[in-house]
Amino acid sequence: MLKIGLTGGIGSGKSQVATLLEEWGATIVDTDLVAHQLCQPGGSAIAAIAEQFGSAFITAEQGMDRQRMREHVFANPAERQRLEALLHPLIWDEARRQVMSAGGLYVVVVVPLLIERGRWRNHVDRICVVDCDELTQKQRVRERSGLTDEVIERIMGAQATREQRLAVADDVIVNDGKTTLSTLRQQAEQLHQQWLQQR
Ligand code: ADP
């Protein structure tokens, strides 16, 4: 099975591209979604979160108390690291399991920090980068989430730069401030056809 690693900065348009590829028959494994599922009631991260952070971080429904955890790690990098150290192996195992068992024409694994963390790089056949200028990224994230500029800038500051991403890209989709949804679709369609040939 052909495996595409899809990455890009926050607000670059990864989800938008993944939705199109899924429509055309690709299987999508979204690592953010996997992380979310692991922390839901019944998710496999819950026992470890309760053990390491205490039952105060578990809701009555037995899921992670997201709001509380967000506030807890927000001003505390060491605690954020502790949470990430707990979650990452679980995300990796579950996402790998989904990739290995995927049906469909090919599989696209959406990894926001693919460049930064490196682990996925040896486990995908191609890296596709959704490229966007920082101003547009900020604008989209602001509109989508209502996060403050300060928070958006902090998230972007912890992510790879455009140049670093482009340096390792096998395929690039340009989705900057001048890209319409229709030209985004055209680029994605072209790559879809190319990947079908490469299977
Ligand atoms: P990511 O998954 O990389 O964080 P999204 O795919 O969620 O980014 O896109 C961020 C926001 O910008 C979404 O609300 C999306 O609908 C919008 N968006 C993305 N690309 C375009 C575009 N070319 N034109 C208009 N809106 C876009």
Side-chain angles (χ1 to χ4, degrees), residues 6-9 12-14 17 128-132 165 173 175 184:
L6 182 67
T7 192
S12 60
K14 295 179 293 297
V17 170
C128 177
V129 167
V130 184
D131 180 54
C132 181
R165 278 193 204 93
I173 295 179
N175 188 30
L184 179 67

Side-chain angles (χ1 to χ4, degrees), residues 9-16 140 144 175 179-181:
I10 185 169
S12 60
K14 295 179 293 297
S15 310
Q16 196 88 30
R140 286 188 191 142
R144 180 185 60 183
N175 188 30
T179 312
T180 62
L181 288 175

